[in-house]
Every structure is written in structure tokens, then in C-alpha cells.
Amino acid sequence: MEIDESITVVPYDDQWADVFNNEKSTLLNIFGSDTVEIEHFGSTSVRGMVAKPIIDILIGVSSLELDESILHQLQQRNYDSFGEAGVEGRLYFRKRAEHSFNLAVVIFQGEQWINNIQIRDYLRTHPQVAEQYSMHKRESIQKGITTLLAYSDEKAEFVQSVLRQAKKYSMGN
């Protein structure tokens, strides 16, 4: 399985929070005591944002050395493993089905955890920035950037800008 795939963005769907909560229950059973926390993140977690119709789930663990039984159970539930997939300190899994999911398994309260939660929380509390991000996504798709890797590259600078804003904001609060 190749990591690159065709993507599109769609308007926000009120069902995304419920879809996340259902999958979270399954993942808690799989990860068991290895899980510190599971959070919904990414654009599907921000009301009103356009997003790839894929639920991003952040799983905070104490160690990235996952037990073989966890890997086996994820595979049984149709999750494909991509290792770090170019992001140091993150294990990436995905499932493509009626409801699609990306799992980012990271060290709880590590850099990957903190950055992703800060971006999510900042976008949730700053709808004007969330709308700018949505516009950036739509423009990328309109320019023909419709594969995952190209799309990720296209929005990387914008995401880094949002992260800088989020860090500055969190320091002021």
C-alpha cells in the first residue's frame, strides 16, 4: 500500500464528532493500558471547517514501542501501518472504509501531541483563522492539488503559521 492517495475536501459534517467517539471506544479497547489519552484533532474536529472526510485521531502513549497484540488488533480492524511516514516521533496508521480514519500515535505531552492540540484548540477559538485555513484548502484543490503528499506540502507553510500563532496565543493565556 502506498501512502499517497487522492483526496478532496468537503464541508463540515456534524456526524464527525460521533464517528470519532465510536472509533475512540474501539481504540481504547485495542490500546488498553498503553493509552494515556485519545483526542479528535485535525480539521474534522473544528466545527465549520472544510476537511478531507477522514477523522484524524491523536493517540497519546507513554512509549512508541507498541505491543504486538495492538498491531495485530489494528490490522484485524483494517488499519494499515506506515511507520513514522516522514514524521519523526509519530506512528501513522490509516483505515479507509465507510468512515475513514488516520491515527497518529505519539508520546503523550511530547512535541507532536502538544503541537497538534494547540493547533486544534486555536482553530476552535479563532473562527476567522479556521475560515482562512478552509479557504486555503479549497484554493489548493481548485489548483489541482488533489493527492495527499502534494496537498500536505501545499498547506505546510500555512499550518506552521497557525502553529506559531497558537503558541504565541497559549503563552499569553
Side-chain angles (χ1 to χ4, degrees), residues 47-160:
R47 182 170 290 283
M49 278 195 69
V50 300
K52 298 184 312 289
I54 300 167
I55 306 299
D56 289 314
I57 299 177
L58 192 63
I59 301 178
V61 295
S62 55
S63 169
L64 292 180
E65 297 295 322
L66 299 182
D67 188 272
E68 283 299 317
S69 68
I70 292 172
L71 298 172
H72 180 71
Q73 289 179 70
L74 286 171
Q75 186 179 27
Q76 283 185 316
R77 287 175 175 76
N78 298 315
Y79 277 98
D80 295 311
S81 173
F82 290 90
E84 287 189 334
V87 179
E88 188 176 338
R90 175 199 73 177
L91 299 177
Y92 174 63
F93 299 86
R94 74 176 180 208
K95 175 167 67 173
R96 298 298 181 254
E98 176 186 356
H99 297 294
S100 293
F101 301 93
N102 290 336
L103 305 183
V105 180
V106 301
I107 299 297
F108 180 69
Q109 295 301 342
E111 182 180 13
Q112 292 292 333
W113 178 272
I114 291 168
N115 288 351
N116 282 294
I117 296 299
Q118 281 185 326
I119 289 170
R120 179 201 65 193
D121 291 350
Y122 187 76
L123 290 169
R124 284 179 173 176
T125 58
H126 293 80
Q128 73 283 7
V129 178
E131 180 50 39
Q132 290 171 353
Y133 191 12
S134 289
M135 189 172 7
H136 185 81
K137 290 171 174 239
R138 287 189 294 265
E139 288 171 356
S140 295
I141 296 294
Q142 289 171 353
K143 288 194 286 188
I145 300 169
T146 59
T147 61
L148 177 65
L149 296 178
Y151 177 78
S152 295
D153 287 346
E154 171 72 12
K155 67 180 188 150
E157 188 175 316
F158 189 89
V159 171
Q160 285 304 309

Side-chain angles (χ1 to χ4, degrees), residues 30-43:
I30 292 172
F31 281 83
S33 62
D34 286 353
T35 307
V36 178
E37 185 66 59
I38 298 179
E39 292 283 338
H40 187 185
F41 79 114
S43 299

Side-chain angles (χ1 to χ4, degrees), residues 15-34:
Q15 293 181 20
W16 286 339
D18 292 333
V19 171
F20 161 74
N21 285 320
N22 290 338
E23 194 70 5
K24 178 180 178 179
S25 296
T26 299
L27 293 168
L28 283 169
N29 288 330
I30 292 172
F31 281 83
S33 62
D34 286 353

